[in-house]
C-alpha cells in the first residue's frame, strides 16, 4: 500500500489540498483540488494525473465552512483511496512568530503557541489553525506538521528584521517577519538547476500573485524582504495597500474618525490594484482595460517593484539574478517586460521572444543580470518539510519517532 502525505493550505474562503507519495524524493502531486467559497456557494474540485475526477457544488448560502470542507475532503480521499495510506498531514501556517524558525510537528503545546500569534495575523492565522484542530479531532493518530511562511526569513540580519521603535514595543514581537517564505524557499531550492552561479550569489525573487512581495536571497538564504510585521507591507497587491506612511493611519483615526476595523478593511480589502483602479484586483482585467485609472494602478505596481528591486539590491550590495514567480510573475509577459525595462540600470536586458514564451530564462545572452520565470510550488515544499519532519516511515506506513 502506498504511503501518502496530504498537504492542506487553508485560507479565509478556500482550502486547497494536494496528495504526494510519502517516499523518496517528493515530486509530482498524485491528486489535488480545492474547496472554494466556503461561506458563500461552495464548490469542490479534484484532479488527478488523468484530469478532473470530481466536482461538487453546494447551494448558494449553504455555508459549508472549514469543518464541512475538511470533512468533504476526508470523505473524498476515503472513497478514492486506491490502496493509499495517509501517514501525515502538512499544513501551511502563515505565522511562526519568533520561535518557529522551521517546520514543527504539531502537539497541543504547539497549537497553544500558534494561537498566541493570532493577533499578529488575525486574517490568516485562525484559518490555518482550524484544519489542524479538525484533523486532530478526526484523526488523532495522524502526524501533523506546521510549515510557516515566516520561517525562511529568520536568517535575515537583525537590522533587516528590526523596526526603529522603543524596546518596550519591539520586545512584544513587533518586528519584520516577512511572508511567502515557502514560495521563496522552493525557488531557492530549484534555482541551482537554472542558474548555479546566481544560486550561490545574489538573487531577488518577485512573488507577484494576489499577495505580492519580493525577497533578497544570498546563497540560498533570505537576507531582506518587502513584507514586514504583517502581510500588508511592501508592494501594492490585489486589494492590499503595500507600503504606506504610518502617519496615514493616524490621519484616518483622528481626522476621518475611522475605527481600527474600518481601517483594517480599507488597507487589506479595498486598496491596492482594486482601490487605485476602481475596476478590479485582477491584473488580467486591468491589463485588458482601457481605463486611465486601471493603467495608473499598473504604473504604481511596477513603479513600486522597481523601487523595491533597488532597495533589495542595495541590501545585497549587488544582484546576479531576478526571478519572477506566482500568478502575475509566471503568466504576465507584459508586467515582466515593464519590470525588466525598469531594471536596465542593474544590467537587465530582455529576450522579448523568450519572455513571450514564458521562459524559463527571459534575459538575453549578453545580459549581465540573468532574469528567470520559475513557477512556485509551496505545496511541494510543505510535503518535503512534512516528510523530513516526521523522519521517514517504517514498512506498513507508521511514522517513525
Ligand atoms: P494567490 O496570491 O491568491 O496565490 P496567484 O499566485 O494565483 O494568487 O495569483 C493570482 C493573480 O495572478 C490573479 O489575481 C491575477 O491577477 C494574476 N494572473 C493570473 N494569470 C494572469 C495573466 N495571464 N496575466 C496577468 N495576470 C494574471
Amino acid at each position: 500500500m502506498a504511503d501518502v502525505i496530504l498537504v492542506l493550505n487553508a485560507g479565509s474562503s478556500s482550502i486547497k489540498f494536494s496528495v504526494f507519495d510519502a517516499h523518496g524524493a517528493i515530486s509530482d502531486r498524485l491528486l489535488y483540488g480545492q474547496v472554494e467559497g466556503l461561506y458563500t456557494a461552495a464548490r469542490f474540485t479534484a484532479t488527478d494525473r488523468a484530469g478532473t475526477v470530481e466536482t461538487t457544488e453546494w447551494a448558494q448560502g449553504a455555508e459549508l465552512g472549514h469543518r464541512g470542507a475538511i470533512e468533504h475532503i476526508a470523505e473524498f480521499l476515503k472513497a478514492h483511496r486506491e490502496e493509499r495510506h495517509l501517514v501525515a498531514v502538512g499544513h501551511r501556517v502563515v505565522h511562526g512568530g519568533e520561535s518557529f524558525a522551521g517546520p514543527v510537528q504539531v502537539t497541543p503545546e504547539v497549537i497553544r503557541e500558534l494561537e498566541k500569534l493570532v493577533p499578529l495575523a488575525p486574517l490568516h492565522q485562525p484559518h490555518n489553525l482550524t484544519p489542524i484542530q479538525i484533523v486532530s479531532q478526526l484523526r488523532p493518530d495522524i502526524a501533523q506538521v506546521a510549515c510557516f511562511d515566516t520561517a525562511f526569513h529568520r536568517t535575515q540580519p537583525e537590522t533587516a528584521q528590526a523596526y526603529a521603535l522603543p524596546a518596550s514595543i519591539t520586545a512584544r514581537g513587533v518586528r519584520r517577519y516577512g511572508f511567502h517564505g515557502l514560495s521563496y524557499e522552493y525557488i531557492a531550492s530549484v534555482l541551482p538547476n537554472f542558474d548555479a552561479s546566481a544560486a550561490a550569489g545574489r538573487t531577488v525573487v518577485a512573488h507577484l500573485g494576489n499577495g505580492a512581495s519580493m525577497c533578497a536571497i544570498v546563497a540560498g538564504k533570505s537576507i531582506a524582504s518587502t513584507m514586514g510585521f504583517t502581510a500588508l507591507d511592501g508592494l501594492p497587491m490585489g486589494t492590499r495597500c503595500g507600503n504606506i506612511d504610518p502617519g496615514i493611519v493616524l490621519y484616518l483615526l483622528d481626522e476621518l474618525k475611522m475605527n481600527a476595523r474600518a481601517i483594517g478593511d480599507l488597507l487589506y480589502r479595498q486598496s491596492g490594484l482594486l482601490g487605485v483602479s476602481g475596476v478590479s484586483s485582477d491584473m488580467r482585467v486591468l491589463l485588458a482595460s482601457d481605463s486611465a485609472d486601471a493603467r495608473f494602478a499598473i504604473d504604481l505596481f511596477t513603479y513600486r517593484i522597481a523601487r523595491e528591486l533597488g532597495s533589495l539590491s542595495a541590501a545585497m550590495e549587488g544582484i546576479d539574478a531576478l526571478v519572477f514567480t506566482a500568478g502575475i510573475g509566471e503568466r504576465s509577459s507584459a508586467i515582466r517586460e515593464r519590470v525588466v525595462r525598469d531594471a536596465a540600470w542593474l544590467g537587465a536586458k530582455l529576450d522579448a521572444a523568450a519572455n513571450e514564451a514564458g521562459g524559463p530564462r527571459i534575459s538575453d545572452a549578453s545580459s549581465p543580470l540573468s532574469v528567470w520565470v520559475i513557477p512556485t510550488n509551496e505545496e511541494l515544499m510543505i510535503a518535503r518539510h512534512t516528510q523530513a519532519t516526521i523522519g521517514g516511515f517504517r514498512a506498513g506506513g507508521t511514522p517513525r519517532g
Side-chain angles (χ1 to χ4, degrees):
M1 186 177 276
D3 292 333
V4 296
I5 289 172
L6 169 67
V7 170
L8 293 177
N9 180 353
S12 56
S13 65
S14 72
I15 300 182
K16 295 183 186 143
F17 73 94
S18 305
V19 175
F20 294 87
D21 186 335
H23 294 283
I26 290 185
S27 55
D28 292 346
R29 298 176 289 192
L30 302 170
L31 189 64
Y32 65 95
Q34 61 178 339
V35 192
E36 302 163 276
L38 297 184
Y39 294 90
T40 50
R43 182 181 151 81
F44 171 84
T45 49
T47 305
D48 69 9
R49 286 168 166 169
T52 299
V53 288
E54 190 171 308
T55 309
T56 309
E57 287 180 24
W58 286 261
Q60 180 78 32
E63 286 226 3
L64 184 66
H66 281 77
R67 174 172 284 276
I70 302 256
E71 284 171 355
H72 186 83
I73 292 169
E75 284 305 314
F76 168 81
L77 292 176
K78 232 187 264 174
H80 292 77
R81 185 173 274 168
E82 290 154 18
E83 300 302 303
R84 290 191 196 116
H85 177 248
L86 179 63
V87 290
V89 183
H91 298 268
R92 179 183 190 174
V93 178
V94 72
H95 222 303
E98 289 175 278
S99 29
F100 296 111
V104 62
Q105 184 154 352
V106 174
T107 62
E109 288 96 297
V110 167
I111 294 183
R112 277 196 291 279
E113 284 303 308
L114 296 179
E115 281 171 343
K116 288 188 199 155
L117 298 171
V118 167
L120 302 190
L123 298 183
H124 295 100
Q125 193 84 343
H127 302 302
N128 303 152
L129 298 184
T130 303
I132 296 181
Q133 282 148 339
I134 296 172
V135 174
S136 307
Q137 289 159 7
L138 293 178
R139 291 291 304 270
D141 55 311
I142 296 272
Q144 297 193 77
V145 176
C147 303
F148 304 102
D149 266 321
T150 49
F152 184 64
H153 300 298
R154 296 285 63 75
T155 52
Q156 292 178 6
E158 190 53 31
T159 42
Q161 297 192 50
Y163 286 113
L165 289 167
S168 58
I169 303 296
T170 56
R172 303 176 74 94
V174 179
R175 50 162 59 224
R176 299 182 67 92
Y177 288 100
F179 298 89
H180 291 139
L182 292 159
S183 172
Y184 294 127
E185 190 178 9
Y186 173 78
I187 299 293
S189 79
V190 296
L191 191 57
N193 306 335
F194 294 89
D195 187 337
S197 78
R202 302 159 298 183
T203 302
V204 167
V205 180
H207 176 109
L208 309 178
N210 260 323
S213 72
M214 296 165 74
C215 181
I217 299 177
V218 175
K221 293 200 166 27
S222 168
I223 66 130
S225 64
T226 60
M227 280 180 168
F229 179 59
T230 67
L232 267 183
D233 202 2
L235 304 176
M237 306 172 219
T239 62
R240 284 175 249 166
C241 57
N243 169 264
I244 58 168
D245 178 346
I248 295 173
V249 176
L250 301 179
Y251 173 83
L252 298 174
L253 278 167
D254 288 341
E255 292 300 320
L256 301 192
K257 310 290 180 210
M258 291 172 72
N259 62 24
R261 184 180 288 266
I263 295 173
D265 193 52
L266 177 81
L267 304 182
Y268 275 99
R269 297 199 181 89
Q270 297 171 32
S271 299
L273 298 175
L274 174 67
V276 175
S277 69
V279 172
S280 174
S281 64
D282 191 319
M283 185 58 84
R284 284 166 293 200
V285 176
L286 300 186
L287 287 165
S289 166
D290 44 23
S291 131
D293 292 338
R295 274 202 300 279
F296 184 64
I298 298 172
D299 288 347
L300 207 45
F301 184 69
T302 56
Y303 171 76
R304 292 297 326 174
I305 293 172
R307 291 269 304 258
E308 297 290 355
L309 184 60
S311 166
L312 295 171
S313 299
M316 299 190 296
E317 299 179 18
I319 176 167
D320 303 305
L322 169 63
V323 177
F324 290 95
T325 195
I328 300 171
E330 291 167 27
R331 296 190 201 100
S332 177
S333 57
I335 296 295
R336 290 194 302 259
E337 184 188 333
R338 293 178 61 150
V339 172
V340 174
R341 198 175 61 209
D342 291 346
W345 68 282
L346 287 168
K349 291 187 201 161
L350 190 72
D351 176 335
N355 184 41
E356 284 309 317
R361 187 180 169 124
I362 61 166
S363 49
D364 84 15
S366 69
S367 180
L369 175 65
S370 70
V371 187
W372 301 88
V373 180
I374 304 178
T376 195
N377 198 337
E378 289 148 310
E379 274 78 18
L380 181 59
M381 205 64 237
I382 295 169
R384 285 183 182 158
H385 279 315
T386 302
Q387 183 194 48
T389 304
I390 63 173
F393 306 96
R394 287 197 199 103
T398 314
R400 256 202 297 269

